[in-house]
C-alpha cells in the first residue's frame, strides 16, 4: 500500500515539474531597451492592432561587409550585439552603399560601451550611427499584448493557455476574464497561424454523452477537425464528441502496456484514441460508445486508419457492453496475431490493393498473392478492459459481476481460456490531494461497487483537472470470484 501511493506521488512530482517548465516570455529589458508593448488598457470590445507600435533608438556599427564577422565575434563587442527576437542584428547600410553593413547594438549611446569595446571600434576604424528599430503588433507575443491591455488586477495570471485540436484552440477561461473573451480569442487567433477557430468551454455539460458545450469566440464556426496523434489520423465533430488533447501522453502510456496478442474491450471508446493506436500495434479491439456521434466518427476513423480487420465498433450502454464483450469474443473470434513480420507484409498488401482501387477504369495491374498466414489459433479471450469515463466509470464496475458465469456450465468450459482474468483500467476523479488518501478513496469506492477486494491494483496519476480535483487511472486484475459470481 505505501509503495502504491508513493509511486503515484512520484508521478505527481514529475507532472508538476513538467508543467512548471512551460513559461511565458517576459517583456525583454536589455541594457535600458524597453521592448514591452505600449499600454492600452482602454481596449475591451475590439482590438486595434495599429495602436501597438514602438520605435527604439539604438547604436549601430557601420563597417565594410567583409569585416562584419569580425565585429560579431569580437570579445569586447559580443555582449553588446542586439539579440531581440525577430530583429536582425546585421542590416544593410541605410545610406545605400552595397559594400557596407550596420551591426546593431543594444545600447543607446557610446558611453554605455566599455573602454575595451570603444578601443576595439577605434582600431577597426568603425563608424557609430544611430538606427531606429520599429516594433509592431506582430513582434509581441499573445501574453505580452494581453498584459498591456487587461486591467492590472487581471495581469497576474495569464489567460493565454489553451489546448489545440486540429484547427481549433480550446480555452477554459476563468469567469473574471469573460468580459475580455473576444479580445483574448482574437489575439490567440492572430498569434497562431494554424488555428482557425477559438472556442471557450461553457459550464454546462451534456449529461448523457458527457461532451462539453462551447461558444465560438473568434474565427470560423466550423467544428469538424482532423487531428493526428500516435501516428493515427482522427476526424470528428469537436462540438458533439469528447476529446482532450492533453491526454495524449496517457493514451500512449496505456497502449504501451498492451501486447499485440491482446483483445481490448474499450467500454467508452469515444472516437478511438485508445482503440485505434492499439489496433495499429496489432491488438484486436471491441470499441463501444453510447454517443451516436462518437460511434459514427469512430467507425470513420477505423476505416481511415485501415484497421477494420481489428476493430469492431458498437453503440450501446456501457453495462450492456461489459456483460456481452466476453460472449462476442467467443462467438466471433478475431484472427490470430500473425507476428510483426507478417503483419507488415499484410499492411503492404493492403496498401497495394488501395492503390489499385484508385487506378482509373481499365486494365488493372496483376494482383500479387497475399502471403500464406501460419496456422495459428484465433483470438477469443478479452484480456484488457478500458473504462475512460472518469466522471462515472467507477459506477459501472458492478457490471463485471458474473460476466463469465452464463458461459461456464460447468465452469470448466472456460477454464482453459480464462485461466488468467482480464486487466481492468478504470479512470476516475478524486478530491483527495494527498497521494495516500487518494489511493484509499479510489480503492474503497472501487471495491464497494465491484463487491470484492482488488487484486494486482496500481494507481496512476494522470493530471490535475481543477483545484482539489485530480484524475487517476486504477488498474487491477478482475477478481475471479466476481467474474464467475452467480
Amino acid at each position: 500500500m505505501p509503495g502504491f501511493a508513493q509511486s503515484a506521488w512520484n508521478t505527481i512530482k514529475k507532472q508538476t515539474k513538467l508543467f512548471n517548465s512551460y513559461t511565458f516570455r517576459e517583456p525583454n529589458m536589455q541594457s535600458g531597451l524597453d521592448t514591452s508593448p505600449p499600454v492600452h488598457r482602454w481596449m475591451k470590445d475590439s482590438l486595434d492592432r495599429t495602436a501597438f507600435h514602438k520605435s527604439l533608438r539604438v547604436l549601430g556599427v557601420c563597417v565594410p561587409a567583409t569585416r562584419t564577422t569580425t565585429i560579431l565575434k569580437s570579445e569586447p563587442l559580443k555582449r553588446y550585439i542586439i539579440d531581440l527576437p525577430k530583429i536582425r542584428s546585421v542590416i544593410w547600410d541605410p545610406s545605400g552603399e552595397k559594400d557596407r553593413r550596420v551591426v546593431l547594438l543594444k545600447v543607446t549611446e557610446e558611453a554605455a560601451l566599455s573602454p575595451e569595446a570603444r578601443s576595439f571600434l577605434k582600431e577597426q576604424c568603425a563608424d557609430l550611427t544611430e538606427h531606429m528599430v520599429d516594433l509592431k503588433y506582430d513582434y509581441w507575443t499573445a501574453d505580452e499584448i494581453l498584459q498591456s491591455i487587461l486591467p492590472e488586477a487581471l495581469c497576474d495570471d495569464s489567460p493565454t493557455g489553451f489546448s489545440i485540436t486540429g484547427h481549433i484552440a480550446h480555452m477554459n477561461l476563468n469567469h473574471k476574464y469573460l468580459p475580455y473573451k473576444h479580445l483574448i480569442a482574437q489575439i490567440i487567433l492572430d498569434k497562431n497561424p494554424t488555428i482557425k477557430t477559438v472556442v471557450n468551454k461553457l459550464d454546462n455539460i451534456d449529461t448523457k454523452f458527457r461532451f462539453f458545450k462551447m461558444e465560438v469566440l473568434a474565427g470560423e464556426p466550423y467544428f469538424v477537425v482532423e487531428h493526428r496523434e500516435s501516428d493515427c489520423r482522427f476526424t470528428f465533430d469537436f462540438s458533439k464528441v469528447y476529446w482532450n488533447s492533453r491526454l495524449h501522453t496517457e493514451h500512449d502510456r496505456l497502449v504501451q502496456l498492451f501486447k499485440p496478442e491482446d483483445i481490448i474491450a474499450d467500454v467508452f471508446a469515444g472516437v478511438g484514441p485508445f482503440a485505434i493506436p492499439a489496433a495499429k500495434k496489432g491488438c484486436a479491439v471491441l470499441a463501444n460508445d453510447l454517443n451516436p456521434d462518437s460511434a459514427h466518427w469512430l467507425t470513420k476513423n477505423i476505416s481511415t486508419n485501415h484497421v477494420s480487420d481489428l476493430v469492431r465498433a458498437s453503440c450501446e450502454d456501457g453495462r450492456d457492453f461489459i456483460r456481452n464483450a466476453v460472449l462476442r469474443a467467443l462467438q466471433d473470434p478475431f484472427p490470430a496475431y500473425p507476428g510483426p513480420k507478417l503483419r507488415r507484409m499484410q499492411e503492404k498488401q493492403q496498401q497495394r490493393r488501395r492503390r489499385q482501387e484508385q487506378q482509373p477504369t481499365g486494365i488493372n495491374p496483376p494482383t500479387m498473392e497475399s502471403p500464406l498466414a501460419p496456422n495459428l489459433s484465433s483470438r477469443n479471450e478479452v484480456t484488457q478492459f478500458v473504462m475512460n469515463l472518469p466522471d462515472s466509470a467507477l459506477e459501472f464496475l458492478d457490471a463485471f459481476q458474473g460476466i463469465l458465469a452464463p458461459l461456464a456450465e460447468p465452469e470448466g468450459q472456460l477454464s482453459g481460456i480464462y485461466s488468467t482474468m482480464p486487466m481492468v483500467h478504470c479512470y476516475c476523479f478524486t478530491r483527495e490531494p494527498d497521494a495516500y488518501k487518494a489511493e484509499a478513496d479510489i480503492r474503497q469506492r472501487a471495491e464497494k461497487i465491484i463487491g470484492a477486494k482488488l487484486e494486482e491494483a496500481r494507481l496512476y496519476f494522470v493530471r490535475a483537472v481543477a483545484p482539489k480535483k485530480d484524475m487517476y487511472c486504477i488498474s487491477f486484475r478482475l477478481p475471479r470470484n466476481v467474474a464467475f459470481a452467480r
Side-chain angles (χ1 to χ4, degrees):
M1 186 89 162
F4 179 36
Q6 185 62 43
S7 175
W9 178 242
N10 290 338
T11 304
I12 293 174
K13 292 193 290 185
K14 289 180 181 178
Q15 296 274 352
T16 304
K17 183 177 180 182
L18 178 64
F19 178 79
N20 289 338
S21 68
Y22 292 93
T23 57
F24 294 101
R25 178 163 62 92
E26 295 292 335
N28 202 323
M29 301 288 292
Q30 301 185 41
S31 301
L33 295 184
D34 180 9
T35 61
S36 60
V39 175
H40 298 295
R41 304 205 186 279
W42 51 268
M43 290 190 195
K44 183 175 181 181
D45 299 321
S46 61
L47 177 64
D48 183 3
R49 298 172 183 81
T50 62
F52 292 95
H53 179 269
K54 175 177 283 191
S55 294
L56 303 177
R57 185 178 65 84
V58 299
L59 285 184
V61 180
C62 189
V63 294
T66 55
R67 300 223 299 264
T68 303
T69 303
T70 303
I71 297 295
L72 291 173
K73 292 186 176 181
S74 66
E75 286 300 325
L77 273 184
K78 187 180 294 184
R79 65 190 179 98
Y80 294 105
I81 305 297
I82 199 166
D83 55 357
L84 296 178
K86 304 178 185 178
I87 302 298
R88 298 180 62 179
S89 58
V90 180
I91 62 172
W92 294 92
D93 189 337
S95 66
E97 295 188 38
K98 295 182 179 180
D99 60 342
R100 295 183 68 81
R101 303 288 186 271
V102 175
V103 179
L104 300 182
L105 307 179
K106 55 186 177 184
V107 296
T108 58
E109 54 187 21
E110 186 177 358
L113 297 174
S114 67
E116 292 81 8
R118 292 198 297 270
S119 176
F120 174 78
L121 290 175
K122 187 176 182 180
E123 292 174 2
Q124 297 294 319
C125 299
D127 298 325
L128 287 177
T129 182
E130 287 188 357
H131 181 77
M132 301 303 294
V133 175
D134 289 325
L135 307 181
K136 297 182 180 181
Y137 175 77
D138 290 342
Y139 172 78
W140 291 287
T141 66
D143 188 56
E144 289 169 337
I145 294 291
L146 283 172
Q147 293 290 319
S148 69
I149 291 177
L150 295 174
E152 292 184 12
L154 299 182
C155 288
D156 290 340
D157 301 319
S158 175
T160 53
F162 57 89
S163 60
I164 299 177
T165 303
H167 65 274
I168 296 177
H170 179 205
M171 307 189 76
N172 187 11
L173 287 174
N174 189 294
H175 70 278
K176 63 184 178 181
Y177 293 111
L178 292 181
Y180 305 89
K181 60 185 180 181
H182 294 291
L183 201 65
I184 294 170
Q186 188 58 58
I187 293 170
I188 295 296
L189 200 65
D190 289 344
K191 298 299 180 178
N192 297 272
T194 60
I195 292 174
K196 306 300 180 185
T197 308
V198 181
V199 301
N200 185 47
K201 184 180 76 173
L202 299 177
D203 290 336
N204 52 326
I205 301 173
D206 185 273
T207 55
K208 187 175 182 180
F209 299 137
R210 307 306 299 170
F211 61 85
F212 293 110
K213 295 185 179 181
M214 60 193 70
E215 62 174 335
V216 177
L217 300 182
E220 307 165 2
Y222 182 64
F223 300 110
V224 176
V225 302
E226 183 174 295
H227 187 80
R228 292 185 179 273
E229 180 177 299
S230 301
D231 199 29
C232 301
R233 183 156 56 99
F234 297 93
T235 305
F236 50 89
D237 187 333
F238 189 60
S239 67
K240 295 182 179 179
V241 305
Y242 179 81
W243 181 276
N244 191 334
S245 298
R246 293 172 179 168
L247 294 176
H248 175 204
T249 302
E250 178 59 17
H251 297 155
D252 186 64
R253 180 193 73 87
L254 196 60
V255 170
Q256 293 303 316
L257 298 179
F258 302 154
K259 295 181 294 185
E261 304 84 16
D262 281 337
I263 292 182
I264 316 299
D266 195 349
V267 186
F268 313 108
V271 299
F274 287 109
I276 291 175
K280 286 273 192 177
K281 189 176 182 178
C283 303
V285 187
L286 297 169
N288 172 73
D289 201 278
L290 180 63
N291 184 349
D293 289 297
S294 294
H296 165 75
W297 293 109
L298 170 63
T299 302
K300 177 176 176 58
N301 293 328
I302 291 170
S303 175
T304 300
N305 291 277
H306 312 296
V307 289
S308 300
D309 57 331
L310 289 174
V311 186
R312 299 170 186 170
S314 60
C315 180
E316 61 189 53
D317 179 77
R319 282 190 173 83
D320 295 336
F321 175 78
I322 292 171
R323 291 168 182 149
N324 296 327
V326 170
L327 179 61
R328 286 173 178 167
L330 277 172
Q331 293 179 339
D332 188 11
F334 286 90
Y337 175 64
K341 184 175 181 180
L342 189 55
R343 177 72 181 166
R344 286 194 295 271
M345 294 175 67
Q346 291 174 341
E347 289 174 351
K348 289 180 180 179
Q349 290 292 325
Q350 291 177 351
Q351 292 172 1
R352 291 192 188 98
R353 285 195 295 270
R354 287 194 294 272
R355 286 196 295 268
Q356 291 171 10
E357 291 170 358
Q358 295 170 0
Q359 294 268 343
T361 56
I363 300 176
N364 290 327
T367 304
M368 295 183 63
E369 294 295 328
S370 299
L372 294 176
N375 186 19
L376 301 174
S377 59
S378 56
R379 287 180 276 185
N380 58 3
E381 175 188 0
V382 177
T383 55
Q384 313 272 351
F385 281 88
V386 178
M387 305 176 68
N388 183 25
L389 189 66
D391 188 67
S392 57
L394 286 176
E395 300 171 12
F396 287 77
L397 291 179
D398 58 355
F400 286 99
Q401 286 280 346
I403 62 170
L404 296 180
L407 308 177
E409 300 291 348
E411 182 177 326
Q413 179 182 338
L414 287 177
S415 61
I417 302 177
Y418 284 92
S419 56
T420 302
M421 291 291 98
M423 289 295 295
V424 179
H425 309 277
C426 185
Y427 290 87
C428 59
F429 294 132
T430 181
R431 296 193 177 276
E432 295 289 349
D434 179 78
Y436 290 95
K437 291 181 179 179
E439 174 196 349
D441 171 56
I442 294 171
R443 180 187 283 267
Q444 181 181 12
R445 285 189 287 152
E447 292 180 343
K448 180 179 180 181
I449 296 172
I450 203 169
K453 292 290 183 182
L454 299 185
E455 304 172 9
E456 303 180 33
R458 290 181 176 273
L459 195 70
Y460 185 84
F461 174 81
V462 178
R463 70 187 188 102
V465 178
K468 297 183 180 180
K469 185 178 181 181
D470 294 333
M471 180 178 174
Y472 281 85
C473 176
I474 183 168
S475 299
F476 59 90
R477 184 79 60 186
L478 179 63
R480 194 171 187 83
N481 61 326
V482 171
F484 284 100
R486 295 184 181 278

